[in-house]
DNA sequence: GTAGGGTTAG
C-alpha cells in the first residue's frame, strides 16, 4: 500500500512539476498557474504588510512568474518604507507598467517630499486616473503649496470626496481656516473623513468652539455621514487636553448611547468615547467622576481598565489601583508595568518586586520600572544586580535604564561600573542632555573631576542648568572651591539662571575657602538678583561661613531673621563655629536649640560638656553630665566625655 | 498593488 502510494505521488510530481514552471503565456490559459500567481502576490503583500520587505524581495526574485500586480506590490513595499531610490530602480526595471505602478511611484515621491520628481512622472504618465490627480494634489497640499494644489484641483477632469478632503486638510495645515471651512461647506458630498479632517484640523488650530459648531450643525443635516462618532471623540479629547471638562462632557452626552431605542440612531457611543471621557476626568484629577463613568460602562476594554488604574496611580491611590487590578480580566504588560512603577514611586518596593516576579511577561519598561524603583529607594546594589539580569534575559537597556544605573554608580561611588556604563551609553544611544548630566554627576561624585569636565565641555552649547550644577557641585564637594566659583562666574556670563542647588554648592565653596565677603555677596545676590527664596541649607552654610570666621553677632542676626524654622544643620553650624572659637556662651544657646530639636541625640551635650571641661568650668560640665543622666542620654559611638 | 481623515492609555 505504501509503495503504491509513493509510486503514485512520483507520477503526479512528474506531471505536475513541469507545469509549475510554465512561462507567461501559459498562465493565461491554465487556471492552476494563474492561481499560483495570485498566491504569490498574496504572500508578497502579506510579507510587506508585516514589514518583512527583505523576505518579500527574496520571494519576488525567486518567482519565475510575475505579473504587474507582483511588481506593483513590491514597488509599494519600497514606497511604504520610504526607500525611494530602490523603488525607482524597480519602477525602471518593470517590463510593463499600469496606472497603479505610476500612481504608486508618484505617491512615493510625494511621501518623500520630492514634489518635483513626482510632478515630472505625473506629467509624463500616459493616462491619469482620479487617484493620480488626488495623489499629486494632496502632495502639494501637504507640503504647503496650496496655490499649486488649487490649480491642479481646478484642472482635474473630475473630483471625489478624497480630492476635496485633501484640499481641506491642506488649508488646515497651513492655518487657513477660512478656506478650509469654505471648501468643506462647498463639497458636493461629504463623508466621515471630511468631518474628521475638519474637526481635528480645527482643534489643532485651537478652534475648539468652531469645531463644535460645525460638528453640531452637521448633525442637523440629512447627510450621509454615519460614522460621526470619530469626530465627536476627537472633540472630547480636544476639550480634555484644554481642561474644558464640562464642554467635553456635553459633547459626550450628545452622542446617542446604546439605550436610545426610540429613534433611529445614526451613530452611537463606542468604547473609545467612554475611554476618552474617562481620560478627561483623570487628566483633571477628578478621579471620582472617572470612576462613576467607568462603572456605568456596559463593556470595557483593556484601555478602559488601564486608564482607570493609571488614574488612581497618578493620584497615588495605590490601594484602589490594586483593587481594580485584581478585578481586571486580562491585564496586559502595560498594566503590570504601571503598577510596578506606581508602587516603586510610592516607596512600596516589596509589592513592586512581588508584582515584577509574578508578571507573566516582561518587557524593557518592566525592567526599567523595577530597576528605577530600587534605585529610588536606595537599593543600589540590587538595582545593579537587576540590570545584569535584565541583559542575561535578553532585554536591552535603553537611556532610562542607563540613567538609573548611573545614579546608582554615583551613590555607590563605583567608578569601575560607571566607566562600563559610560561605554554602554556611547554604544547604545546618542547621549542626550539628561544622560550627559547623569554622566557628569557620576564622574564628579566618584571624584573623577577631569572626566566630568571632559563631558561637560563636550556638551558645548547643549548644557542646561543641571549640567552646570553638577559640575559646580563636583568641584565644590571635592575641595576645588576656586574652580567651583570660577565656573559659577562663567555660568552667569553665559546667562544661565542659577537655581537654589547652584547656590548650595557656591556657598559651600565659600565656606571651604573661608571667603566671608564672597559668601555674603552670593547669598545676597541669590535673593535680590535671582529671586530665590533661601532654604535651610543656604542659611546653615551662611551661618557656617560667618561663625567660623568669628562673625557671631552677624550669624545670630541671620538666624533670628530667618522666615523658616532653623533646623539642626543651622544650629549645628553655629555650635561648630563656637567650638572653633571657644565661645561657650553662644555654644550653650546653640546646643540648647539643638537639644530641643533632637532630644535623644548626645552630640550637642558632649560638645558643650567638653568645651566647659576645656576651660575648666567644672560646675557647668557636671551640670551637663547630670542632664544627660536625667534624660537617659547615652553617648553616641565615637564621642567621649573628657 | 495606488489617493483623503483616524479619536483613548501605557
Amino acid at each position: 500500500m505504501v509503495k503504491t502510494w509513493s509510486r503514485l505521488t512520483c507520477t503526479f510530481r512528474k506531471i505536475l512539476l513541469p507545469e509549475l514552471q510554465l512561462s507567461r503565456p501559459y498562465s493565461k490559459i491554465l487556471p492552476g498557474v494563474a492561481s499560483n500567481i495570485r498566491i504569490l502576490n498574496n504572500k508578497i503583500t502579506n510579507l510587506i504588510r508585516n514589514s518583512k520587505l527583505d523576505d518579500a524581495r527574496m520571494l519576488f526574485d525567486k518567482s519565475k512568474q510575475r505579473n504587474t500586480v507582483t511588481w506593483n506590490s513590491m514597488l509599494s513595499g519600497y514606497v511604504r518604507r520610504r526607500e525611494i531610490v530602490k523603488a525607482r530602480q524597480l519602477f525602471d526595471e518593470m517590463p510593463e507598467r499600469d496606472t497603479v505602478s505610476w500612481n504608486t511611484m508618484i505617491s512615493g515621491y510625494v511621501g518623500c517630499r520630492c514634489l518635483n520628481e513626482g510632478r515630472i512622472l505625473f506629467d509624463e504618465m500616459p493616462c491619469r486616473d482620479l487617484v493620480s490627480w488626488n495623489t499629486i494634489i494632496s502632495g502639494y497640499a501637504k507640503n504647503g503649496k496650496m496655490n499649486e494644489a488649487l490649480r491642479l484641483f481646478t484642472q482635474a477632469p473630475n473630483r471625489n470626496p478624497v480630492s476635496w478632503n485633501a484640499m481641506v486638510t491642506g488649508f488646515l495645515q497651513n492655518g487657513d481656516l477660512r478656506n478650509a471651512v469654505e471648501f468643506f461647506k462647498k463639497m458636493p458630498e461629504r463623508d466621515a473623513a471630511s468631518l474628521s479632517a475638519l474637526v481635528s484640523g480645527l482643534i489643532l488650530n485651537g478652534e475648539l468652539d468652531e469645531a463644535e459648531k460645525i460638528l453640531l450643525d452637521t448633525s442637523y443635516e440629512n447627510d450621509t455621514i454615519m460614522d460621526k462618532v470619530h469626530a465627536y471623540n476627537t472633540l472630547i479629547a480636544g476639550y480634555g487636553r484644554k481642561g474644558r471638562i464640562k464642554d467635553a462632557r456635553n459633547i459626550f452626552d450628545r452622542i446617542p448611547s446604546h439605550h436610545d431605542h426610540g429613534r433611529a440612531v445614526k451613530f452611537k457611543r463606542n468604547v473609545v468615547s467612554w475611554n476618552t471621557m474617562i481620560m478627561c476626568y483623570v487628566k483633571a484629577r477628578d478621579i471620582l467622576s472617572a470612576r462613576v463613568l467607568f462603572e456605568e460602562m456596559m463593556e470595557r476594554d483593556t484601555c478602559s481598565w488601564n486608564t482607570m488604574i493609571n488614574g488612581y496611580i497618578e493620584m497615588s491611590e495605590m490601594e484602589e489601583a490594586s483593587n481594580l487590578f485584581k478585578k481586571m480580566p486580562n491585564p496586559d504588560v502595560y498594566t503590570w508595568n504601571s503598577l510596578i512603577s506606581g508602587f516603586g514611586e510610592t516607596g512600596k518596593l516589596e509589592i513592586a518586586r512581588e508584582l515584577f516576579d509574578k508578571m507573566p511577561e516582561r518587557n524593557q519598561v518592566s525592567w526599567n520600572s523595577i530597576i528605577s524603583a530600587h534605585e529610588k529607594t536606595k537599593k543600589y546594589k540590587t538595582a545593579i544586580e537587576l540590570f545584569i539580569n535584565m541583559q542575561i534575559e535578553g532585554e536591552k537597556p535603553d537611556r532610562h535604564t542607563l540613567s538609573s544605573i548611573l545614579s546608582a554608580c554615583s551613590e555607590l561611588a563605583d567608578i569601575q561600573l560607571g566607566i562600563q556604563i559610560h561605554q554602554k551609553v556611547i554604544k547604545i544611544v546618542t547621549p542626550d542632555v539628561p544622560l550627559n548630566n547623569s554622566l557628569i554627576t557620576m564622574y564628579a561624585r566618584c571624584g573623577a573631576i577631569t572626566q566630568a569636565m571632559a563631558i561637560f565641555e563636550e556638551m558645548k552649547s547643549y548644557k542646561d542648568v543641571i549640567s552646570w550644577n553638577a559640575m559646580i557641585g563636583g568641584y565644590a564637594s571635592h575641595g576645588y572651591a576656586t574652580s567651583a566659583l570660577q565656573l559659577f562666574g562663567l555660568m552667569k556670563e553665559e546667562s544661565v539662571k542659577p537655581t537654589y542647588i547652584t547656590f548650595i554648592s557656591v556657598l559651600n565653596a565659600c565656606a571651604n575657602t573661608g571667603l566671608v565677603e564672597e559668601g555674603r555677596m552670593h547669598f545676597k545676590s541669590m535673593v535680590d538678583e535671582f529671586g530665590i527664596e533661601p532654604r535651610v541649607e543656604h542659611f546653615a552654610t551662611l551661618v557656617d561661613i560667618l561663625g567660623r570666621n568669628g562673625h557671631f553677632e552677624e550669624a545670630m542676626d541671620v538666624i533670628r531673621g530667618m522666615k523658616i524654622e532653623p533646623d539642626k544643620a543651622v544650629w549645628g553650624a553655629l555650635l561648630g563655629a563656637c567650638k572653633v572659637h571657644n565661645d561657650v556662651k553662644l555654644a550653650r544657646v546653640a546646643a540648647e536649640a539643638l537639644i530641643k530639636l533632637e532630644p535623644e541625640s548626645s552630640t550637642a551635650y558632649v560638645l558643650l560638656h567638653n568645651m566647659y571641661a576645656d576651660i575648666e568650668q567644672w560646675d557647668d560640665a557636671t551640670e551637663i553630665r547630670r542632664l544627660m543622666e536625667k534624660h537617659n542620654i547615652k553617648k553616641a559611638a565615637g564621642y567621649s566625655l573628657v
Side-chain angles (χ1 to χ4, degrees), chain A residues 8 12 16 72 106 109 115 174 204 266 269 276 328 353 364 393 466 523 577:
Chain A
L8 259 172
F12 264 106
L16 283 171
N72 286 345
I106 294 170
Y109 277 128
L115 283 179
N174 287 292
L204 282 178
K266 270 198 171 183
R269 275 178 209 159
T276 310
M328 182 172 177
R353 185 56 195 259
Q364 198 183 42
E393 295 202 7
I466 297 171
F523 189 91

Side-chain angles (χ1 to χ4, degrees), chain A residues 250-379:
Chain A
N250 177 39
I251 295 300
F252 176 80
D253 288 333
R254 277 175 178 272
I255 312 174
S257 73
H258 299 271
H259 310 297
D260 292 344
H261 316 290
R263 56 195 163 107
V265 176
K266 270 198 171 183
F267 71 112
K268 61 182 179 192
R269 275 178 209 159
N270 60 18
V271 70
V272 179
S273 323
W274 288 85
N275 292 350
T276 310
M277 195 57 229
I278 290 176
M279 193 60 229
C280 292
Y281 284 129
V282 164
K283 269 192 192 138
R285 303 181 75 78
D286 183 356
I287 196 79
L288 283 175
S289 308
R291 183 60 182 265
V292 169
L293 219 57
F294 178 80
E295 293 299 334
E296 278 173 22
M297 285 177 85
M298 303 295 284
E299 46 177 276
R300 308 177 182 109
D301 63 5
T302 321
C303 180
S304 330
W305 285 92
N306 284 346
T307 307
M308 202 58 232
I309 290 175
N310 280 320
Y312 282 117
I313 294 177
E314 289 274 306
M315 309 289 291
S316 300
E317 294 187 28
M318 290 311 295
E319 232 183 278
E320 256 330 300
S322 221
N323 288 338
L324 273 186
F325 175 67
K326 280 175 200 147
K327 284 187 213 154
M328 182 172 177
N330 289 308
D332 62 2
V333 67
Y334 292 105
T335 327
W336 288 89
N337 287 349
S338 24
L339 277 156
I340 290 170
S341 94
F343 279 117
E345 299 270 330
T346 47
K348 302 267 190 340
L349 185 63
E350 296 78 21
I351 308 180
R353 185 56 195 259
E354 201 189 313
L355 287 169
F356 179 79
D357 290 335
K358 227 167 43 183
M359 69 193 293
E361 54 156 335
R362 297 179 190 132
N363 62 15
Q364 198 183 42
V365 179
S366 329
W367 285 96
N368 285 349
S369 306
I370 197 69
I371 290 174
S372 143
H374 281 82
E375 190 267 311
K376 277 181 189 145
T377 44
K378 302 186 192 293
K379 303 275 188 290

Side-chain angles (χ1 to χ4, degrees), chain A residues 364 387 390-391 395-399 401-402 424 428:
Chain A
Q364 198 183 42
F387 171 66
M390 170 183 193
Q391 292 164 90
E395 202 62 70
K396 278 191 181 149
D398 66 355
R399 57 181 73 246
T401 334
L402 297 170
K424 259 200 195 325
I428 298 178

Side-chain angles (χ1 to χ4, degrees), chain A residues 100-290:
Chain A
V100 174
S101 330
W102 286 88
N103 290 345
T104 308
M105 196 61 231
I106 294 170
S107 119
Y109 277 128
V110 161
C112 295
R113 312 180 120 252
C114 303
L115 283 179
N116 293 338
E117 285 82 351
R119 180 58 183 268
I120 291 167
L121 281 189
F122 177 80
D123 290 337
E124 267 177 16
M125 73 185 286
C127 65
R128 296 179 273 263
D129 65 0
L130 189 51
V131 175
S132 329
W133 283 93
N134 287 342
T135 308
I136 199 77
I137 289 171
S138 89
Y140 282 114
K142 266 188 204 152
N143 287 287
K145 308 241 192 281
M146 284 315 288
N147 288 338
E148 196 53 28
L150 188 58
R151 192 171 308 140
L152 287 157
F153 178 82
T154 325
Q155 275 173 19
N158 46 43
R159 285 166 283 271
N160 66 0
V162 178
S163 338
W164 286 89
N165 294 345
M167 291 303 290
V168 170
T169 313
F171 283 127
L172 287 164
Q173 278 173 358
N174 287 292
D176 186 350
L177 309 186
R178 217 178 45 85
N179 266 317
V181 174
E182 195 182 306
F183 265 65
F184 177 82
K185 291 196 169 150
K186 269 203 306 220
M187 288 173 71
E189 53 167 333
R190 288 181 283 251
D191 59 12
S194 326
L195 193 57
S196 271
L198 187 64
V199 168
S200 69
L202 285 172
I203 291 173
L204 282 178
N205 282 285
E207 297 291 334
L208 281 83
D209 300 284
E210 181 67 10
E212 170 167 333
K213 205 169 144 274
I214 285 169
L215 198 56
L216 298 185
D217 279 353
T218 313
S219 64
Y220 296 122
E221 283 177 27
N222 252 344
D223 58 71
T224 50
I225 308 176
M226 301 287 285
D227 180 26
K228 276 186 299 214
V229 67
H230 236 313
Y232 272 73
N233 293 344
T234 309
L235 184 60
I236 296 173
Y239 277 135
R241 275 190 290 270
K242 293 267 177 205
R244 293 173 60 175
I245 308 303
K246 279 193 181 149
D247 294 315
R249 183 59 196 247
N250 177 39
I251 295 300
F252 176 80
D253 288 333
R254 277 175 178 272
I255 312 174
S257 73
H258 299 271
H259 310 297
D260 292 344
H261 316 290
R263 56 195 163 107
V265 176
K266 270 198 171 183
F267 71 112
K268 61 182 179 192
R269 275 178 209 159
N270 60 18
V271 70
V272 179
S273 323
W274 288 85
N275 292 350
T276 310
M277 195 57 229
I278 290 176
M279 193 60 229
C280 292
Y281 284 129
V282 164
K283 269 192 192 138
R285 303 181 75 78
D286 183 356
I287 196 79
L288 283 175
S289 308

